Amino acid sequence: MGEPADTLAARWAAVRRRVDEACRAAGRDPAGVAVLPVSKTFGPEVVREAAALGLNRFGENKVQELREKTAALADLALEWVLIGHLQTNKARDVARLASEVQSLDRLELAEALHRRLQAEHRAIDVLVQVKTSPEESKHGLPPEQLPAFLDRLRDYPTLRVRGLMTLAVQSEDPAAVRACFRQLRELRDAATAAGHDLPRLSMGMSGDFPLAIAEGATEVRIGTAIFGHR
Ligand SMILES: *Cc1c(COP(=O)(O)O)cnc(C)c1O
């Protein structure tokens, strides 16, 4: 037997297997951890191939790409999840095209999305992105602002707040990475105790998802390990 074929199907199967293994290692039910395939930078033809494997929900980080792919793939019933930093002036396209936003990190954006969603007569699921790493390049709400932010989001009924999202610090030290994921879980637990219903934790990417699963991720966002290097 040689190496398994390096196809999208083989990479997807390997990722799902590794996620299941990480769940078992953490004593968790694999059914409790979803994989969000992140198709950013890959063209519509690649997403079409993934859709043929049964994947129907994809993460994107740029509104321009979201626009191009939804147009090219309008014949498929796909759901699009915004995971990248979002400018308020792009809220209109997002309100029209996305099924979910995981990068909600400020009130100005909540206000813009809500206004556009009202105009579209739509409501979407949102996750609040929290900054758990000190890196300047990482976006997200400062953790200490989360309680007040969640209270304010009650004013925007088109935004169904379902949980929290984060990106861990980029580090060779697994303890440092894991601390980011733990912080997000603890913030969620505190918010739950304060009366918010936040079942979802989106955390973990190709390079660090087993640590995120060990800390309670309900969803891992996987690009490279499924689609290849960008
Ligand atoms: C690109 C991206 C991912 C996926 O990263 P990989 O390392 O390719 O798995 C996950 N989350 C966000 C916010 C991203 O922008």
Side-chain angles (χ1 to χ4, degrees), residues 36-40 42 59-61 82-85 102-103 129 165-167 202 204-209 220-230:
L36 175 65
V38 176
S39 48
K40 66 185 186 196
F42 290 91
E60 291 286 338
N61 70 337
L82 238 296
I83 59 172
H85 182 66
Q102 297 196 351
S103 44
Q129 181 175 355
M165 182 270 243
T166 202
L167 284 96
S202 171
M205 325 199 307
S206 294
D208 58 16
F209 69 82
V220 292
R221 308 177 306 271
I222 308 291
T224 311
I226 297 173
F227 294 105
H229 287 284
R230 296 183 288 271

Side-chain angles (χ1 to χ4, degrees), residues 64 113 130 155 161 196 212 227 229:
Q64 176 63 28
L113 284 171
V130 180
D155 296 340
V161 186
H196 295 283
F227 294 105
H229 287 284

Side-chain angles (χ1 to χ4, degrees), residues 32-205:
V33 181
V35 177
L36 175 65
V38 176
S39 48
K40 66 185 186 196
T41 77
F42 290 91
E45 66 293 345
V46 177
V47 177
R48 191 174 287 280
E49 196 187 337
L53 298 173
L55 308 188
N56 61 4
R57 190 168 166 262
F58 296 92
E60 291 286 338
N61 70 337
K62 293 210 166 76
V63 175
Q64 176 63 28
E65 261 189 82
L66 175 70
R67 238 189 271 123
E68 290 164 9
K69 287 179 213 180
T70 49
L73 299 167
D75 57 312
L76 301 177
L78 302 179
E79 291 188 13
W80 298 94
V81 179
L82 238 296
I83 59 172
H85 182 66
L86 203 50
Q87 292 172 291
T88 48
N89 64 7
K90 305 275 170 63
R92 184 161 170 238
D93 283 326
V94 175
R96 220 163 37 86
L97 302 172
S99 68
E100 178 176 323
V101 171
Q102 297 196 351
S103 44
L104 182 62
D105 61 356
R106 58 199 195 280
L107 274 180
E108 180 199 25
L109 179 58
E111 176 71 39
L113 284 171
H114 176 64
R115 209 157 17 88
R116 295 302 186 176
L117 284 161
Q118 277 186 313
E120 298 284 334
H121 304 287
R122 293 185 70 213
I124 61 171
D125 287 350
V126 298
L127 304 184
V128 175
Q129 181 175 355
V130 180
K131 185 168 162 64
T132 57
S133 111
E135 291 148 310
E136 278 296 320
S137 59
K138 300 246 161 67
H139 295 281
L141 189 76
E144 65 276 10
Q145 294 180 18
L146 183 64
F149 188 71
L150 289 171
D151 288 339
R152 293 292 304 275
L153 288 182
R154 295 188 197 275
D155 296 340
Y156 306 110
T158 60
L159 305 177
R160 296 184 300 241
V161 186
R162 306 291 293 142
L164 306 179
M165 182 270 243
T166 202
L167 284 96
V169 67
Q170 207 154 353
S171 166
E172 296 295 314
D173 177 11
V177 174
R178 189 164 173 163
C180 297
F181 297 140
R182 181 177 312 125
Q183 185 183 11
L184 197 72
R185 175 171 52 77
E186 289 173 350
L187 287 165
R188 190 276 308 273
D189 292 346
T192 303
H196 295 283
D197 181 27
L198 302 172
R200 293 178 48 195
L201 288 177
S202 171
M203 53 189 197
M205 325 199 307

